[in-house]
Amino acid sequence: MATVAASPTYAGAESGEQTGLWSWLTTVDHKRIGVLYLYTSLFFFLFGGLEAVLIRAQLSGPNKHLVSAETFNQLFTMHGTTMIFLAVMPLSSAFFNFLIPLQIGARDVAFPRLNAFSYWVYLFGGLFITLPIFFSAAPDGGWFGYAPLTTRQFSQGVNIDFWVLGLQILGISSLAAAFNFITTIINLRAPGMNLMRMPMFTWMAFVVQFLLVLAFPVITIALFFLQFDRFFGTNFYEIGAGGDPLLWQHLFWIFGHPEVYILILPAFGLVSEVLPTNSKKPLFGYPVMVYSGILIGFLGFGVWAHHMFSVGMGPIADTVFGLTTLLIAIPTGVKIFNWIFTMWGGSIRFTTAMKFAIGLVALFTIGGISGVTHASPPADLQQTDTYYIVAHFHYVLFGGSIMGIFAGIYHYFPKMFGRMMSEKLGSWHFWLNFIAMNLTFFPMHFSGMLGMPRRIYTYDAGQGWETFNLLSTIGAFMLVLATAIFVWNFFRSKSSGALAPDNPWDAATLEWSIPSPPPEYNFAEIPLVESRYPLWDLTHPERTSEIPHTHDGWSDQEKAAEAKPVHIEKDRRTAKELGIPMPLPTIKPLFVAAGIVVMLSGLIFIHKEDKTAAAALIGLGAIMIIGFLYAWVTSPLEPDHH
Amino acid sequence: MPFITPVFGERMQLKIRPRQLASVAILTGLALAIAACGSYGKGYPNSTFNNTTEFNTAVKSLWDKLLFWGTFVFILVEGILVYTIFRFRRRSDADEPQHVHGNTALEIGWTIAPAVILTFIAIPTVRTIFRTQARAVPNALQVEVVGHQWWWEFRYPQYTTRTPTGRVDTLVTANDLYLPIGRTANFTLRTKDVLHSFWIPQLGGKRDLISNHTNYLWFTPDTSLRTTAFNGSCNEYCGASHANMRFRTFVVTPTEFDGWVQHQLGPAAFAVAPPAPPTPAPADTTRAAGAPTRPASTTPAPVPVTPAVAVAPQPIGYTFPMDSLPNYSSPKTPTPAGLSFPDNITGDAQRGAQQFARSACIGCHTVRGTIAASPIGPNLTHIATRSTIAAGIYPNDAKHLRLWIKNARMMKPGVAMPTLGLGQRDPITGATVSQSLGGLSDQQIADIVAYLQALR
């Protein structure tokens, strides 16, 4: 059935001008940008993991001093910042980029050049916030950056400057991408793909984009206040001038809690693709899965102060936020049951992706249960800021997000790179990862409830924490081994894995109807959709016979022609041969992104005696932004082909 | 479309499969977890599971409910999950399951069931919130907790003393908190700088110390308690030495507490540092208790506010006996490599008192009854009665005090206490401490330490 005869080159590489470094710097193809996101975020994932290993090495026993207090504080700050903003979010972005247009039957995202811009801002912002660690100047105020510790009075150095500016830069990337995907999903769906026929991953991605659009402005404001305090002498958080540290906490968590769902919902989406495919069954309760996803996103904005039960908000606020937090367990529980009942009665094939997906269901459940234990404010007072919380959110973010993302990588690797990953290595990766993950994080429940605070670079002997910490550290080193197997598998499979067929997993959605890897134009003919599972309509009509099939959204000609809904493209042709106009590659988004970073980095030097460096960088950055943005908006997206 | 799983498709003979390895590991882990659960609460000096106060009792009763329902849900969900993946694993690629798209009754069921369970949690939660955050009883012991980077100041505003000059001094201590058993302690929480969080896992908490805000917390050490010590810590990340911001709580009988208050309110043992003649060489006898003569010195020494009463009184009242400090409360922090103090130096408390009074010490510290009256650092009036120094990270003994004065910044990252030993390198400023910077010789440090150790 292999439609790919030759060794697959990357999508779009057929046309000569699209190979080599330059083609990657100038690409506006959502699939290549997705791959760039994937590589970059995997790199940052490894980097953040390395930071975690150093943290665990330091805490392996009492009174250890492998690294200094200052270095440790930079390590845990950067571990959190890296994993959240530079690893898990962009790993999700890799899938948004690669999958959304393919799943909705589109040829690209709505704004391909803006998409490239989002990536470059992310890359430069990530480097901007990461590189200072090599000069012992990394941010050291925690990923939550609580004022007033982050104000100039208590953090004199440039460490926090890099953090504030870095997060602002990354916010630009997230917002630009979010608007792009919202526009794409609303406008570019194939005929017949109404909202309730969208694949679950695209649905969850859709919810996440709204969370991004609504949550990021809040942290942007919070960061602007801090930025102005630090650079221009305002007094939003300056305690000497009556500033209020709680302003920061509220703003940060109004962003910070939806951020949790920004991190987890894409993984939920990926798992919702993997579980039905490998169970030979449709997703159980599709509409409920959609509504619960929306509800989680919505409730996510009403629970932020559960991060603040110990700040003394008073019994009324504690009660309200405790109850809303308990409520969020309901739609999450519904999702868990729906996943299990998707498998129930099915024919479960244990691909590596499936193992990771089941792993998510098993581990996220634990994270959810421990989450309920600190939704109760009085109980949370004994838990907050201890290792119990560290255990909880690693079950959610590692057991949830990361397991889901690994499921996604194993599942979509054939589509992305045209080759299969080794299932054998994958199995080793899964089991080692699963055991190591539990070994690392489960003992933290105990160390936390037995009184160990978070964010301490050392602890004294005889506190009853030694065994649990040693176990956690052993687990962390096992995770290194598991991840090494994954990296080996990834690169080996990419160069010499078995060639992938179009639809290796017998899946139901549109991305599997085109060659692996997809051609630059994705779909030679835009597919027509008549049900939720367009490909199963073709290959396994019995699986979809119970759900309605309509031609709503098709044009009259399409209805009249009784067109074949999904077209399976057998031959690899170029866009030129098919006469499909493709967006022109361009370097301008990269330079605009670079301009933003150059301009903001000027602020780092603003407190120096000599203002030349600051003025020069700000000026140069501004010129780059304006110049390249002008060139960008005045150049056509596609070649003139009239 | 044949699908080949290299691992599960083939039936190999002697081959370790990750799955088998995993089941062994998971069973081992489970056994360990059960073992850990069995011993929970026992032998853990900072355990949160106990009934030492009404606060902790309330939290524990909530926790028990949460643990019960959590375990119930865990077993239910993971049980169904494990059953499902075993029962419905693919036996043949030709399997074609039934294509259920959903089941409204089931879905409503598992929406309502969690809601019911959550109600069982929500009701006691809300009751506990309002009970624990009610106003403290009026006759409660008032304790003001003031957070500093990185140490704790505890003030007892109900206990004051009037100095000979008429100033009213409040009972104040640092990093050692004394609480009477059976009396509600109402904490007023404030911070001088960044955010901190006050927590004694064994007794209750935690409550944050927020700049420009005042927070409250109260609990009552249960009458079933015996005199003992508990550890406390800062739980809100507060900068370089967040990990080094610890304290000790001594729950004591009401009688012992009264004795302690009486003692702490008394004058310092060396209430006045008399301007001494330049003393040659270390004295061979310790004259700690001797009545010093008033020398006719012309050194611009601090002017005493009261006549010299430098008699070290036999401590009256009560201090928690340090030799019965539980093992978990006696600090074991190793001293930094590269910082040492010669053993053969004997300090002289008298000279130490004078040295103290003309050194940088008085810029930050208070010793009641002397010119040292700065509120920046910990109050040292009765420092010799404290269990630890440097906020719970070193024992309060001559060795550690000497090293501390010599180079505090090596012993505790980021600390405000300057490096004072002559020739020492200050790790924050990078400067080498010289005479002109107020550097102290080993002999002078030993003298000051002798003085501090006499401040009972």
Side-chain angles (χ1 to χ4, degrees):
Chain A
M1 82 143 286
T3 52
V4 186
S7 165
T9 43
Y10 191 72
E14 299 94 321
S15 36
E17 74 270 25
Q18 293 211 353
T19 51
L21 178 67
W22 184 250
S23 76
W24 286 98
L25 296 179
T26 58
T27 187
V28 292
D29 180 342
H30 71 96
K31 299 179 290 300
R32 307 184 95 198
I33 292 171
V35 168
L36 285 173
Y37 264 108
L38 184 65
Y39 280 131
T40 315
S41 49
L42 280 177
F43 167 78
F44 280 119
F45 176 68
L46 298 180
F47 199 82
L50 192 68
E51 288 162 347
V53 165
L54 287 172
I55 291 172
R56 281 312 328 159
Q58 169 97 343
L59 295 178
S60 61
N63 291 321
K64 283 220 179 339
H65 287 273
L66 292 174
V67 296
S68 67
E70 290 83 358
T71 306
F72 186 91
N73 293 342
Q74 294 180 16
L75 284 172
F76 81 71
T77 300
M78 285 314 294
H79 170 67
T81 306
T82 303
M83 285 307 193
I84 289 165
F85 294 103
L86 307 179
V88 176
M89 276 177 76
L91 274 166
S92 304
S93 280
F95 287 104
F96 297 157
N97 272 284
F98 192 87
L99 283 182
I100 289 176
L102 297 183
Q103 287 202 324
I104 62 173
R107 289 209 169 117
D108 207 322
V109 294
F111 310 113
R113 295 184 294 189
L114 185 65
N115 203 21
F117 168 78
S118 297
Y119 169 73
W120 295 113
V121 173
Y122 153 59
L123 175 67
F124 297 147
L127 292 175
F128 180 85
I129 207 168
T130 301
L131 291 179
I133 203 162
F134 295 110
F135 308 96
S136 289
D140 56 359
W143 89 276
F144 48 93
Y146 272 11
L149 184 61
T150 44
T151 59
R152 190 69 74 189
Q153 185 189 351
F154 298 103
S155 293
Q156 309 264 343
V158 291
N159 310 49
I160 302 294
D161 293 341
F162 279 108
W163 184 78
V164 175
L165 299 174
L167 287 198
Q168 291 289 44
I169 295 167
L170 293 168
I172 297 171
S173 165
S174 297
L175 281 173
F179 285 116
N180 203 347
F181 290 123
I182 289 176
T183 316
T184 303
I185 293 173
I186 290 179
N187 291 294
L188 298 186
R189 278 170 288 127
M193 180 170 285
N194 59 35
L195 285 177
M196 290 311 271
R197 283 179 188 167
M198 286 201 310
M200 194 51 65
F201 172 76
T202 297
W203 246 118
M204 292 303 109
F206 194 42
V207 175
V208 166
Q209 307 314 318
F210 281 100
L211 295 185
L212 283 166
V213 164
L214 294 171
F216 261 76
V218 185
I219 193 175
T220 304
I221 297 290
L223 287 168
F224 265 130
F225 289 168
L226 186 58
Q227 201 175 323
F228 273 70
D229 276 5
R230 287 188 68 85
F231 296 115
F232 310 121
T234 54
N235 294 309
F236 293 101
Y237 310 118
E238 294 289 347
I239 51 165
D244 191 347
L246 291 186
L247 173 65
W248 169 270
Q249 290 195 19
H250 281 290
L251 290 176
F252 184 82
W253 290 117
I254 289 174
F255 149 80
H257 201 81
E259 173 70 16
V260 174
Y261 299 105
I262 291 169
L263 298 171
I264 191 68
L265 286 179
F268 282 2
L270 289 168
V271 164
S272 301
E273 301 295 333
V274 174
L275 290 175
T277 303
N278 289 302
S279 304
K280 284 194 180 180
K281 272 184 67 194
L283 190 65
F284 192 92
Y286 174 98
V288 175
M289 288 298 253
V290 171
Y291 299 143
S292 59
I294 296 172
L295 199 60
I296 290 172
F298 180 77
L299 289 175
F301 280 97
V303 299
W304 78 87
H306 69 208
H307 297 266
M308 301 165 58
F309 285 146
S310 65
V311 309
M313 295 179 296
I316 306 282
D318 282 3
T319 302
V320 170
F321 284 101
L323 294 182
T324 53
T325 307
L326 287 176
L327 272 184
I328 233 172
I330 296 174
T332 319
V334 166
K335 276 196 177 294
I336 300 271
F337 280 115
N338 277 20
W339 284 324
I340 293 178
F341 277 76
T342 300
M343 292 185 278
W344 183 277
S347 165
I348 301 171
R349 173 180 57 188
F350 294 97
T351 62
T352 305
M354 187 64 171
K355 288 175 197 161
F356 274 102
I358 296 169
L360 176 143
V361 178
L363 298 177
F364 186 83
T365 300
I366 299 177
I369 292 170
S370 61
V372 170
T373 65
H374 31 258
S376 172
D380 181 61
L381 290 180
Q382 282 290 34
Q383 299 165 3
T384 187
D385 281 323
T386 71
Y387 263 85
Y388 186 82
I389 302 290
V390 181
H392 158 72
F393 71 72
H394 279 97
Y395 269 88
V396 173
L397 293 181
F398 199 111
S401 304
I402 294 292
M403 296 296 266
I405 284 165
F406 275 135
I409 290 176
Y410 280 96
H411 196 68
Y412 283 105
F413 188 91
K415 187 53 69 185
M416 284 183 173
F417 300 104
R419 290 185 185 272
M420 308 297 290
M421 277 183 98
S422 159
E423 287 289 312
K424 186 173 177 172
L425 286 173
S427 192
W428 277 103
H429 172 213
F430 168 74
W431 285 110
L432 252 180
N433 194 70
F434 185 82
I435 296 164
M437 186 274 167
N438 282 292
L439 185 58
T440 308
F441 300 115
F442 204 78
M444 290 183 185
H445 290 113
F446 294 94
S447 44
M449 291 307 266
L450 297 173
M452 181 165 167
R454 285 172 78 177
R455 302 171 186 132
I456 53 173
Y457 76 91
T458 192
Y459 55 91
D460 209 353
Q463 305 302 308
W465 306 329
E466 284 98 331
T467 317
F468 300 111
N469 275 284
L470 185 61
L471 288 175
S472 291
T473 302
I474 295 170
F477 279 93
M478 279 173 71
L479 278 175
V480 173
L481 182 63
T483 311
I485 294 175
F486 164 74
V487 172
W488 165 246
N489 191 1
F490 187 96
F491 286 105
R492 211 195 60 148
S493 303
K494 194 174 163 291
S495 63
S496 56
L499 291 185
D502 294 356
N503 188 4
W505 318 117
D506 196 13
T509 41
L510 289 177
E511 69 272 27
W512 303 103
S513 71
I514 52 175
S516 304
E520 54 187 328
Y521 49 80
N522 296 353
F523 299 90
E525 280 175 38
I526 296 297
L528 300 173
V529 178
E530 54 179 11
S531 87
R532 212 173 274 157
Y533 305 101
L535 214 52
W536 278 353
D537 281 344
L538 222 63
T539 54
H540 302 280
E542 74 283 359
R543 288 186 197 168
T544 65
S545 54
E546 282 174 37
I547 51 170
H549 289 62
T550 63
H551 293 180
D552 298 343
W554 294 22
S555 69
D556 290 339
Q557 296 96 305
E558 284 158 351
K559 280 181 188 160
E562 291 194 359
K564 200 160 173 49
V566 177
H567 167 89
I568 292 188
E569 176 74 12
K570 291 287 178 198
D571 308 308
R572 284 189 91 83
R573 288 182 285 176
T574 63
K576 202 170 273 172
E577 286 163 18
L578 289 162
I580 299 170
M582 298 304 295
L584 288 167
T586 169
I587 195 76
K588 290 162 204 126
L590 186 151
F591 277 108
V592 178
I596 289 174
V597 177
V598 169
M599 187 176 77
L600 285 177
S601 61
L603 285 178
I604 300 278
F605 301 97
I606 208 158
H607 286 298
K608 288 255 190 311
E609 273 306 300
D610 183 8
K611 306 276 187 230
T612 332
L617 283 170
I618 293 172
L620 176 66
I623 291 170
M624 284 171 77
I625 295 172
I626 295 168
F628 284 100
L629 199 58
Y630 182 79
W632 169 355
V633 296
T634 52
S635 60
L637 175 63
E638 287 161 6
D640 207 0
H641 46 85
H642 299 299
Chain B
M1 197 170 307
F3 174 78
I4 298 147
T5 37
V7 172
F8 293 96
E10 61 196 333
R11 291 274 168 268
M12 291 292 289
Q13 310 83 357
L14 261 174
K15 204 168 176 192
I16 307 170
R17 290 195 201 155
R19 185 176 50 166
Q20 292 161 339
L21 207 68
S23 6
V24 175
I26 288 169
L27 286 176
T28 320
L30 210 61
L32 278 176
I34 290 166
C37 288
S39 61
Y40 107 106
K42 296 185 203 81
Y44 294 109
N46 305 299
S47 168
T48 56
F49 308 107
N50 41 55
N51 301 321
T52 46
T53 61
E54 78 280 54
F55 182 101
N56 250 7
T57 306
V59 169
K60 183 166 182 293
S61 113
L62 258 182
W63 166 260
D64 288 343
K65 291 186 182 72
L66 290 162
L67 186 65
F68 170 80
W69 286 113
T71 311
F72 172 78
V73 172
F74 174 80
I75 291 172
L76 182 81
V77 174
E78 306 287 355
I80 299 175
L81 177 66
V82 170
Y83 174 80
T84 308
I85 59 180
F86 274 97
R87 168 76 180 73
F88 300 105
R89 67 186 185 278
R90 186 167 305 180
R91 292 176 173 85
S92 138
D93 272 349
D95 287 353
E96 199 52 46
Q98 267 207 316
H99 303 294
V100 188
H101 290 266
N103 181 320
T104 313
L106 263 179
E107 289 169 61
I108 291 175
W110 62 58
T111 308
I112 290 177
V116 172
I117 293 179
L118 291 174
T119 312
F120 287 129
I121 293 170
I123 291 170
T125 291
V126 175
R127 294 164 77 129
T128 312
I129 291 174
F130 281 88
R131 201 166 62 237
T132 53
Q133 295 193 29
R135 208 172 274 277
V137 289
N139 66 341
L141 171 73
Q142 304 293 330
V143 185
E144 292 175 7
V145 178
V146 185
H148 300 258
Q149 277 178 322
W150 291 272
W151 60 282
W152 298 90
E153 180 182 355
F154 300 113
R155 309 176 65 87
Y156 293 75
Q158 290 154 320
Y159 300 99
T160 57
T161 179
R162 194 172 285 273
T163 63
T165 51
R167 205 174 74 231
V168 175
D169 273 344
T170 301
L171 200 176
V172 56
T173 175
N175 307 318
D176 273 4
L177 173 67
Y178 279 70
L179 298 176
I181 289 165
R183 182 170 173 196
T184 301
N186 186 30
F187 300 95
T188 305
L189 308 155
R190 295 193 186 89
T191 170
K192 276 270 191 281
D193 37 58
V194 301
L195 311 188
H196 304 282
S197 190
F198 174 79
W199 192 35
I200 310 157
Q202 289 263 18
L203 296 177
K206 62 189 75 69
R207 194 55 90 190
D208 293 354
L209 284 60
I210 314 263
S211 331
N212 294 341
H213 284 258
T214 303
N215 263 335
Y216 300 93
L217 171 77
W218 58 263
F219 50 70
T220 315
D222 196 81
T223 44
S224 63
L225 283 167
R226 295 280 159 271
T227 299
T228 186
F230 294 124
N231 292 349
S233 59
C234 174
N235 277 258
E236 187 61 85
Y237 175 61
C238 55
S241 262
H242 166 55
N244 299 327
M245 189 170 163
R246 310 175 195 157
F247 62 98
R248 302 286 180 266
T249 305
F250 300 98
V251 291
V252 295
T253 64
T255 325
E256 288 166 342
F257 183 76
D258 291 342
W260 177 76
V261 167
Q262 195 189 357
H263 178 71
Q264 296 289 319
L265 283 177
F270 269 72
V272 170
T279 338
D284 46 1
T285 50
T286 318
R287 298 182 301 151
T293 50
R294 244 190 113 96
S297 168
T298 49
T299 5
V303 183
V305 285
T306 51
V309 284
V311 178
Q314 193 57 36
I316 46 155
Y318 173 83
T319 300
F320 186 89
M322 291 310 150
D323 44 8
S324 52
L325 202 61
N327 180 47
Y328 58 81
S329 282
S330 71
K332 292 159 206 68
T333 316
T335 52
L339 179 62
S340 63
F341 200 92
D343 292 331
N344 55 357
I345 299 182
T346 319
D348 177 87
Q350 281 300 344
R351 268 182 317 182
Q354 295 153 19
Q355 189 60 51
F356 184 87
R358 55 171 184 264
S359 300
C361 315
I362 58 170
C364 296
H365 293 286
T366 295
V367 176
R368 200 143 32 83
T370 75
I371 64 150
S374 170
I376 297 172
N379 185 310
L380 302 179
T381 308
H382 292 285
I383 182 182
T385 63
R386 308 247 172 89
S387 59
T388 65
I389 59 166
I393 61 172
Y394 295 107
N396 183 9
D397 57 20
K399 176 192 165 201
H400 288 92
L401 279 167
R402 288 170 168 191
L403 292 175
W404 178 253
I405 296 173
K406 193 168 184 180
N407 201 337
R409 290 180 172 178
M410 264 179 92
M411 296 185 67
K412 184 169 173 179
V415 73
M417 168 98 178
T419 294
L420 290 169
L422 267 180
Q424 289 288 307
R425 189 180 164 278
D426 183 327
I428 293 179
T429 62
T432 303
V433 178
S434 64
Q435 201 94 44
S436 59
L437 283 171
L440 298 169
S441 69
D442 285 349
Q443 180 62 53
Q444 288 170 319
I445 291 173
D447 291 343
I448 291 176
V449 168
Y451 167 62
L452 293 178
Q453 292 202 291
L455 290 176
R456 296 210 58 82

